[in-house]
């Protein structure tokens, strides 16, 4: 059963990771803009990074693994707390939003839930709305319920098109807020945070429409095979094959097909 991983920071992975993911059924990945492992010191560092993931990573994915690779562009919440830096970067973001392989804005949202992060969140949300692009929203890793509640308030205040938004990094204590929206909901299968065994009861309760599984596959203790492993775990647990296919393939395909530059063909 083929897989699309809709949130994987492949610039942090090795070529062997690409090959293993492809052998496990991952045919397509979307790479959101992320913290590069150390803080960027200058606005120009962001632009070099954007060029890297747009050009080099898409070429590497195809060359190494025959995998389709797309990106979303943003200043990540972890790097949005420097207001002066954020203003300089966001001012130039429109230059990148029409580039080949760019299929959205993200990830944006909260990290420490500061005023500067909220300013960057709103500005980038407005850019996505202007360009009619999908959005990946990052829920904070601490005080998640409050972050989820504030995230939903901002989406409503901004009048964002919720059908073009994934609210990612959901856990049981965020569902009260996020499941009440028309947004798509992402679950990042990350060691020590949430597993597919944790997610399955949430899917039973809330259904599988607008639900998406991803790996993150970043610099920390993450697994680029998390989505194929979740597929297998759900099948082993007796879930209907078509329901599992919907989660790991059809839902991310439907969501990112809203982007004009998303050209993946099953």
């Amino acid at each position: 059963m083929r897989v699309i991983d809709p949130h994987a920071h492949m610039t942090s992975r090795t070529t062997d990771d690409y090959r293993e993911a492809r052998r496990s059924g991952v045919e397509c990945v979307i790479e959101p803009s992320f913290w590069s492992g150390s803080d960027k010191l200058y606005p120009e560092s962001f632009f070099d990074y954007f060029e890297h993931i747009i050009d080099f990573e898409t070429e590497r994915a195809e060359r190494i693994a025959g995998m389709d690779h797309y990106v979303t562009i943003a200043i990540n919440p972890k790097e949005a707390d420097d207001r002066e830096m954020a203003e300089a970067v966001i001012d130039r973001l429109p230059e990148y939003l029409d580039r080949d392989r760019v299929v959205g804005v993200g990830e944006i949202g909260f990290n420490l839930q500061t005023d500067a992060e909220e300013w960057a969140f709103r500005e980038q949300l407005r850019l996505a709305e202007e360009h009619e692009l999908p959005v990946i929203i990052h829920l904070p890793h601490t005080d998640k319920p409050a972050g989820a509640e504030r995230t939903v308030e901002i989406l409503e205040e901004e009048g964002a098109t919720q059908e073009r938004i994934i609210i990612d990094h959901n856990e049981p204590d965020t569902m009260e807020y996020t499941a009440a929206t028309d947004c798509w909901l992402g679950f990042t299968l990350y060691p020590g945070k949430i597993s597919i065994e944790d997610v399955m009861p949430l899917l039973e309760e809330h259904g599988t429409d607008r639900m998406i599984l991803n790996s993150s596959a970043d610099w920390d203790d993450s697994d680029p095979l998390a989505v194929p492993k979740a597929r297998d775990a759900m099948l082993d647990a007796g879930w209907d094959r078509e329901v599992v296919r919907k989660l790991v393939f059809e839902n991310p395909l439907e969501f990112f097909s809203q982007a004009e530059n998303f050209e993946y063909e099953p």
Side-chain angles (χ1 to χ4, degrees):
M1 184 185 298
R2 62 184 67 180
V3 170
I4 296 173
D5 190 334
H7 186 141
H9 299 291
M10 297 306 291
T11 191
S12 66
R13 311 309 307 196
T14 67
T15 54
D16 285 346
D17 290 331
Y18 266 117
R19 293 190 182 104
E20 281 297 311
R22 184 65 186 86
R23 282 194 287 265
S24 297
V26 181
E27 294 189 355
C28 177
V29 296
I30 290 84
E31 176 153 0
S33 297
F34 190 53
W35 180 66
S36 302
S38 61
D39 292 339
K40 300 178 185 70
L41 301 179
Y42 312 101
E44 291 77 11
S45 300
F46 286 88
F47 309 135
D48 288 340
Y49 167 74
F50 296 156
E51 295 292 344
H52 175 88
I53 60 173
I54 291 170
D55 291 332
F56 176 76
E57 281 304 325
T58 54
E59 185 275 333
R60 183 165 76 120
E62 173 60 32
R63 171 170 50 85
I64 294 298
M67 187 186 293
D68 242 1
H69 177 281
Y70 297 88
V71 304
T72 64
I73 295 295
I75 184 166
N76 186 280
K78 188 174 176 63
E79 300 179 296
D81 205 29
D82 182 332
R83 174 68 180 264
E84 183 177 355
M85 180 95 75
E87 288 179 1
V89 174
I90 291 171
D91 187 56
R92 285 189 55 187
L93 282 187
E95 298 175 25
Y96 294 90
L97 297 182
D98 293 326
R99 293 275 295 274
D100 289 346
R101 298 283 163 167
V102 175
V103 295
V105 173
E107 47 189 313
I108 62 176
F110 286 118
N111 178 41
L112 301 176
Q113 303 184 52
T114 65
D115 290 343
E117 289 173 9
E118 180 167 325
W119 178 86
F121 181 11
R122 289 180 183 274
E123 289 296 309
Q124 293 179 102
L125 197 59
R126 292 166 187 161
L127 274 178
E129 197 72 18
E130 290 169 12
H131 289 259
E132 299 184 346
L133 284 170
V135 178
I136 298 176
I137 290 180
H138 174 285
L139 290 180
H141 297 303
T142 57
D143 200 4
K144 290 183 77 76
E149 183 178 21
R150 185 63 185 142
T151 293
V152 170
E153 288 174 351
I154 289 170
L155 296 181
E156 293 173 349
E157 289 168 7
E158 293 291 335
T161 304
Q162 296 187 5
E163 292 81 1
R164 287 201 300 262
I165 293 171
I166 297 175
I167 303 177
D168 209 352
H169 310 320
N170 278 280
E171 293 181 9
D173 59 2
T174 67
M175 297 296 288
E176 173 186 356
Y177 306 104
T178 60
T181 71
D182 290 325
C183 298
W184 296 66
L185 307 186
F187 299 93
T188 301
L189 306 173
Y190 210 83
K193 293 183 179 175
I194 193 168
S195 68
I196 188 58
E197 288 74 22
D198 299 319
V199 171
M200 283 192 273
L202 299 177
L203 298 174
E204 290 171 350
E205 179 181 355
H206 297 281
T208 55
D209 291 345
R210 301 183 292 113
M211 301 296 187
I212 287 179
L213 306 179
N214 67 76
S215 69
S216 187
D218 58 29
W219 301 102
D220 215 333
D221 184 16
S222 55
D223 185 356
L225 305 184
V227 181
K229 288 178 180 178
R231 170 200 63 197
D232 297 345
M234 293 187 74
L235 292 173
D236 289 346
W239 283 70
D240 181 82
R241 189 173 183 85
E242 290 308 308
V243 172
V244 176
R245 173 182 165 83
K246 176 184 177 68
L247 281 167
V248 303
F249 184 75
E250 292 175 1
N251 281 358
L253 177 64
E254 180 181 347
F255 179 79
F256 281 102
S257 291
Q258 297 178 95
E260 185 175 339
N261 285 346
F262 189 67
E263 298 177 346
Y264 170 72
E265 295 183 3

